[in-house]
Amino acid sequence: MFRTAVRNVLAHKARLLMTVLAVMLGVAFVSGTLVFTDTLGNAFRNQSAKSYDDVAVAVTTYAERGDEETAAVDEATLKKIKALDGVAEATGRVSGFAGVADTHGKLIGDGWSNTGSNFAPGSGGKDAQYTFTEGTGPVEAGQIALDRSTADKGEYRVGEKVRVATNGPVKEYTLAGVFTTEDGAVNAGGSLVLFDTEVAQQLYLRPGEFKDVTVTAAPGASDQKLLAAVKPLLPENAEAKTGAALADEEAEMTESGLKSLNSMLLAFAGIALFVGVFLIANTFTMLIAQRTKELALMRAVGASRRQVKRAILLEAGVVGVIASVIGFALGVGLATALRSAMGMFGGKIPAGPLVVSPTAVVAAFAVGVLITVFAAWLPARRAAKIPPVAAMSSVHAVATTKSLVVRNSFGGVITLAGSALIVAGAAQGDENGRWLIGGGAFLALIGVIVLIPLLSRPVIALVRPLLRRLFGVSGKLAAQNAVRNPRRTGATASALAIGLTLVTGISVLGVTLGQAIDKMTTDNIRADYMVSMASGGPLDETALSALRKADGVEAASPQRAVWLTVGEDDSVSASGVTPGDVEKVFDLKTVSGSLASLKDGEIAVDRKTAKSHGWKTGDSVPVKFQDEKKETLKVGALYEGNEFLSPVLISEDVVDPHETLADIREVWLTMDGGQTDANEKAVIDALGDNPAMSVMDRQGIRDMFGGFINTALNIMYALLAMALIIAVLGVVNTLAMSVFERQQEIGMLRAIGLDRRKVKRMIRLEAVVISLFGAVVGVALGTFLGWAIGKSLSASIPGYALVIPWDRLGIFLLLAGLVGVLASLWPARSGAKLNMLTAIKTE
């Protein structure tokens, strides 16, 4: 039976090609994901280990600039650590944000990964953490050093002036040297600026103090003993760990992050393979139908049902092995390409070999073989049930509508149960509701797939008159062919339906959320510009003062983060704002009282927060500030909540005595004349053309808050493309094998007057009808799922309203039609080229 299986594979190479391609693509996705994440994990683990190679003990404090209460490591403590037995070197570090401007004044790198630190030379005048390729480290207040990548991007050379911004005004420094580093922020596409130690301390902490300390051990010294000796010398809040422990922690964090990426990519690979199941099952169903007499003869000469089924499954296994071998090789290539692509887009991956683990190999082959055998099992089971005499006499026939009653009843029950769960989840909302929607979506999708053969007849019947009127006999024959075998049509359409269900659901949800965010921005903001730090950190108070003095500024209010404690331990977030100006930059709808009361030191509370605490206008609220001082504040106004402000508004003048360093997240500006190029330039000039500060107009604000949705949509579309490609292969395969089965019929049609052009048109229209049928089912189900998920999120999204992106849905349907046309090119050409006499004689 094994020889028979191999012979059948070799005899039907062309017909099995699409199956091999489907399995191959799915296996490539799986193996590529595993190899890629294994390679990344290994590279980052090696980098972590290398970073802490010479570190015996690492000390970390949580001291920050402006925080006088949290102690750091001072010079005296650092000297004591250096004096310990077994310590070769102890280096103090301070760090924070530093943005470098290129020659056009733009920020180099991503704001969050742009860092600054201090150059800390040891006894030999070198800093062991950095290798200088040009110049030297900064040893004067006006000098800096840059990492190699940042220097190249900015086209800076040693001795040139470089504009650098921290949280304060931008300053010019002389470039003293260029270095290489394995720093994680630089590898993530950011930049690293090294300052003289005294300068860095003034910028990021306090003179004479360090945030972190790294200790290098003398030869033969024990890391654990050094750790025990260092700990008693440290301030209360400091943490000390061995370098090996920190390397292990970083490795665990890396693996945790990669696990999420791995799971997401494998989920999409699973979708692609799920779609491939329909293609494989369809292929084997048609192959078995074409070999019915052959299988019957095997039964007649003594083969048992089990042997027939085993032969077909062995055939599937051989196909699965071949596809897995090719797919695995492609997967390794895909992993290599992804790694290179990350480098091209600015993401730096530490050097290291490509890791092909036994797990990746086993998973790839297990997936490829098992999926193929699983998909072929049902066709094999059906083939084994055909009686030899019935098969040889061709008494057997394709499944009729009557034979589908059990299947349709089963599919109807599952679809109704899934739909009920989806509606229940949408009504419940929250996380539990979304779990219900997920379960319901799975059941509904399975139910619709089961019902698709039944749905094909009435749905395609709707377009039959149109096809007949537009394309004559070719259109009529195409519509009839599309529903001749409902199982085959259903399996082919199911693959497209699954892909478009997911694509449509994501599109409906994404567009709906995008519109809600856009409306939220439009409804809540009156400001013309928002100023913030590119790093996401707080703005310096000098920036606020400069903006208030800028030409054309009518109103300027910060959004200053403040935390108030109400009662024993109830923490409430508040926004420190400028009374009088806050109403001009935000659209605040007053429920009671007056926002003018902010000038008198009173607070304004949003309606929902006031209701939850039982507050009303005129109430006195005892609060405690972060400096532990208590005050009683009067509620001067209640207002409808604004998504860009905290639930409590308080004058910044009230907050100032309690905080030494203002936590200003944004500054909102209303300009005389609105948004104009001149006004934008005035704002930028007031900030000293600071590359680290972002100035956004209203459209920029909308793009910032809604941009991640478009990015997520594009990523989802790209990942689902594999499933759609496999669905297209399914259409090609079905048509090709259908043409092969109908050679005699096509020959007869040619003989009675249907020319080659009309034969091509018939096959092409059949492909378009099947593709559009699957697309319509997918778009309808996807829209339903998009509505349900959006409804479950609506309580947490102000201004939520379902938006159906008709333009995108129209594009999906047009693309589905195009898929049908492209998929039919080869089968239609093959059918039209058939010799009439030869085709008529074909059995």
Side-chain angles (χ1 to χ4, degrees):
M1 298 308 290
F2 178 75
R3 286 198 302 272
T4 302
V6 174
R7 180 184 62 79
N8 283 328
V9 171
L10 295 175
H12 303 99
K13 295 186 289 291
R15 300 184 214 173
L16 288 166
L17 176 62
M18 296 302 172
T19 297
V20 171
L21 285 173
V23 179
M24 178 188 75
L25 290 173
V27 170
F29 207 148
V30 171
S31 56
T33 295
L34 293 173
V35 171
F36 178 61
T37 52
D38 285 345
T39 300
L40 282 186
N42 181 68
F44 282 115
R45 278 193 298 274
N46 290 342
Q47 183 192 46
S48 296
K50 186 177 178 182
S51 298
Y52 293 103
D53 247 354
D54 299 324
V55 177
V57 177
V59 177
T60 303
T61 71
Y62 298 94
E64 297 288 347
R65 179 170 172 262
D67 179 7
E68 301 295 337
E69 295 183 0
T70 306
V73 177
D74 57 22
E75 291 280 4
T77 303
L78 184 60
K79 287 180 181 178
K80 290 178 183 177
I81 293 172
K82 288 180 178 180
L84 291 172
D85 290 336
V87 173
E89 191 68 64
T91 306
R93 302 281 181 193
V94 286
S95 60
F97 169 77
V100 180
D102 62 16
T103 51
H104 303 291
K106 302 297 183 182
L107 183 68
I108 297 176
D110 300 315
W112 64 270
S113 58
N114 292 333
T115 56
S117 188
N118 61 305
F119 175 66
S123 53
K126 294 183 177 181
D127 191 328
Q129 196 163 335
Y130 309 106
T131 302
F132 279 81
T133 57
E134 295 179 36
T136 61
V139 292
E140 297 177 6
Q143 294 181 335
I144 59 163
L146 293 177
D147 67 272
R148 175 83 273 168
S149 176
T150 303
D152 289 343
K153 289 175 184 176
E155 300 179 354
Y156 289 120
R157 299 290 178 265
V158 172
E160 292 182 346
K161 294 291 184 180
V162 181
R163 297 175 71 242
V164 180
T166 54
N167 285 348
V170 63
K171 294 182 180 179
E172 279 196 346
Y173 297 86
T174 301
L175 183 61
V178 178
F179 58 89
T180 58
T181 177
E182 291 296 324
D183 185 271
V186 175
N187 285 327
S191 62
L192 178 60
V193 182
L194 295 182
F195 300 92
D196 174 65
T197 296
E198 289 185 6
V199 173
Q201 287 174 331
Q202 290 172 355
L203 287 173
Y204 300 127
L205 194 56
R206 295 179 289 268
E209 295 188 350
F210 298 95
K211 186 176 180 179
D212 307 312
V213 175
T214 55
V215 178
T216 305
S222 163
D223 291 356
Q224 291 294 338
K225 288 183 179 179
L226 282 178
L227 179 64
V230 166
K231 278 186 174 180
L233 303 177
L234 301 177
E236 186 178 348
N237 68 303
E239 287 184 4
K241 295 180 181 179
T242 63
L246 285 173
D248 290 342
E249 284 183 11
E250 280 199 14
E252 284 180 16
M253 289 173 63
T254 299
E255 285 186 13
S256 176
L258 290 174
K259 190 178 291 183
S260 301
L261 174 65
N262 197 41
S263 299
M264 182 184 73
L265 292 176
L266 287 177
F268 283 94
I271 292 168
L273 288 167
F274 183 55
V275 171
V277 166
F278 294 93
L279 188 157
I280 299 164
N282 227 10
T283 301
F284 276 93
T285 298
M286 289 186 283
L287 282 175
I288 290 164
Q290 294 165 15
R291 288 159 42 200
T292 301
K293 288 188 177 181
E294 175 190 326
L295 295 172
L297 283 170
M298 289 175 61
R299 291 288 312 281
V301 297
S304 66
R305 287 185 176 183
R306 182 177 295 178
Q307 285 177 312
V308 170
K309 185 163 70 173
R310 191 182 299 159
I312 295 170
L313 293 179
L314 278 171
E315 189 177 332
V318 171
V319 172
V321 169
I322 294 169
S324 297
V325 170
I326 302 171
F328 184 76
L330 281 176
V332 173
L334 179 64
T336 306
L338 283 172
R339 183 175 177 177
S340 301
M342 284 187 70
M344 290 172 61
F345 286 105
K348 293 186 179 180
I349 300 175
L354 196 70
V355 178
V356 182
S357 67
T359 302
V361 177
V362 171
F365 279 85
V367 164
V369 175
L370 289 177
I371 286 292
T372 311
V373 172
F374 170 76
W377 178 81
L378 192 58
R381 185 170 175 270
R382 287 201 200 105
K385 282 185 173 182
I386 299 173
V389 175
M392 285 188 284
S393 61
S394 297
V395 172
H396 75 287
V398 295
T400 63
T401 303
K402 185 177 179 180
S403 71
L404 296 172
V405 169
V406 174
R407 172 186 176 132
N408 295 335
S409 301
F410 179 67
V413 170
I414 294 178
T415 304
L416 286 174
S419 300
L421 283 175
I422 291 170
V423 172
Q428 180 174 331
D430 65 41
E431 188 174 352
N432 292 330
R434 287 188 283 279
W435 277 109
L436 284 176
I437 292 171
F442 178 75
L443 289 177
L445 195 58
I446 297 296
V448 168
I449 288 168
V450 174
L451 284 174
I452 271 186
L454 177 66
L455 295 172
S456 63
R457 289 184 182 276
V459 173
I460 294 176
L462 293 174
V463 298
R464 187 181 299 168
L466 179 64
L467 290 172
R468 187 167 54 244
R469 279 198 299 271
L470 293 177
F471 304 103
V473 67
S474 296
K476 179 180 178 180
L477 290 171
Q480 290 175 343
N481 290 334
V483 294
R484 179 184 294 183
N485 190 326
R487 287 183 186 272
R488 181 184 302 170
T489 298
T492 306
S494 293
L496 270 174
I498 294 167
L500 281 174
T501 294
L502 298 171
V503 169
T504 303
I506 290 168
S507 297
V508 171
L509 182 62
V511 171
T512 298
L513 293 179
Q515 291 276 23
I517 290 174
D518 191 67
K519 186 175 185 298
M520 178 181 71
T521 306
T522 305
D523 289 351
N524 288 297
I525 296 174
R526 288 181 177 173
D528 296 310
Y529 298 102
M530 180 188 81
V531 178
S532 61
M533 289 295 294
S535 64
L539 286 159
D540 193 85
E541 287 184 88
T542 56
L544 177 59
S545 300
L547 288 169
R548 282 176 171 155
K549 297 173 185 175
D551 293 338
V553 172
E554 284 190 342
S557 177
Q559 203 286 82
R560 179 173 172 176
V562 179
W563 287 96
L564 304 174
T565 303
V566 180
E568 293 297 324
D569 56 359
D570 186 7
S571 187
V572 178
S573 65
S575 290
V577 297
T578 303
D581 283 5
V582 68
E583 303 98 309
K584 297 176 183 177
V585 297
F586 292 108
D587 189 3
L588 298 174
K589 298 176 177 63
T590 307
V591 176
S592 63
S594 172
L595 291 172
S597 61
L598 289 171
K599 294 181 180 178
D600 302 322
E602 298 178 1
I603 59 174
V605 184
D606 80 15
R607 182 177 55 81
K608 290 182 180 179
T609 302
K611 184 178 179 181
S612 66
H613 286 84
W615 298 337
K616 59 182 182 298
T617 305
D619 285 354
S620 295
V621 179
V623 301
K624 182 169 65 176
F625 288 88
Q626 286 179 285
D627 62 357
E628 299 298 317
K629 293 181 179 178
K630 296 179 180 180
E631 283 192 29
T632 299
L633 301 175
K634 185 180 178 181
V635 178
L638 301 183
Y639 68 97
E640 290 291 346
N642 186 298
E643 297 302 315
F644 298 92
L645 291 167
S646 297
V648 175
L649 304 184
I650 185 171
S651 170
E652 54 185 328
D653 292 337
V654 176
V655 180
D656 278 338
H658 302 282
E659 294 183 356
T660 55
L661 192 64
D663 187 359
I664 301 172
R665 294 296 163 176
E666 305 111 22
V667 176
W668 299 83
L669 305 171
T670 299
M671 308 294 291
D672 181 12
Q675 297 177 16
T676 64
D677 291 342
N679 279 339
E680 185 171 343
K681 186 176 186 306
V683 173
I684 293 171
D685 289 345
L687 296 169
D689 195 13
N690 192 323
M693 294 183 185
S694 168
V695 179
M696 291 186 188
D697 59 15
R698 288 186 188 177
Q699 186 57 51
I701 296 166
R702 283 197 288 266
D703 292 343
M704 179 184 70
F705 286 101
F708 75 95
I709 293 177
N710 292 327
T711 302
L713 277 177
N714 292 333
I715 292 171
M716 295 291 184
Y717 290 156
L719 292 173
L720 286 170
M722 186 71 73
L724 293 174
I725 290 170
I726 293 174
V728 173
L729 294 178
V731 178
V732 176
N733 208 27
T734 297
L735 285 173
M737 300 190 80
S738 178
V739 168
F740 179 82
E741 286 179 353
R742 288 152 42 198
Q743 288 184 67
Q744 189 179 54
E745 177 188 314
I746 293 171
M748 291 294 293
L749 289 170
R750 290 288 315 282
I752 61 175
L754 197 68
D755 60 25
R756 289 186 174 181
R757 184 170 57 86
K758 290 182 179 178
V759 169
K760 282 184 179 180
R761 184 185 297 165
M762 175 187 73
I763 297 170
R764 195 176 296 125
L765 288 172
E766 182 181 345
V768 171
V769 167
I770 293 173
S771 297
L772 284 175
F773 169 57
V776 167
V777 172
V779 166
L781 185 55
T783 302
F784 179 46
L785 289 176
W787 163 80
I789 298 171
K791 187 70 175 174
S792 71
L793 295 167
S794 59
S796 57
I797 302 174
Y800 171 87
L802 177 67
V803 178
I804 298 178
W806 297 108
D807 53 343
R808 297 195 189 195
L809 300 189
I811 290 171
F812 295 157
L813 293 175
L814 285 174
L815 288 176
L818 181 62
V819 161
V821 172
L822 295 176
S824 67
L825 291 178
W826 173 49
R829 186 169 177 271
S830 300
K833 286 176 67 178
L834 287 173
N835 181 280
M836 280 186 286
L837 295 177
T838 304
I840 291 170
K841 291 188 293 181
T842 301
E843 294 186 6

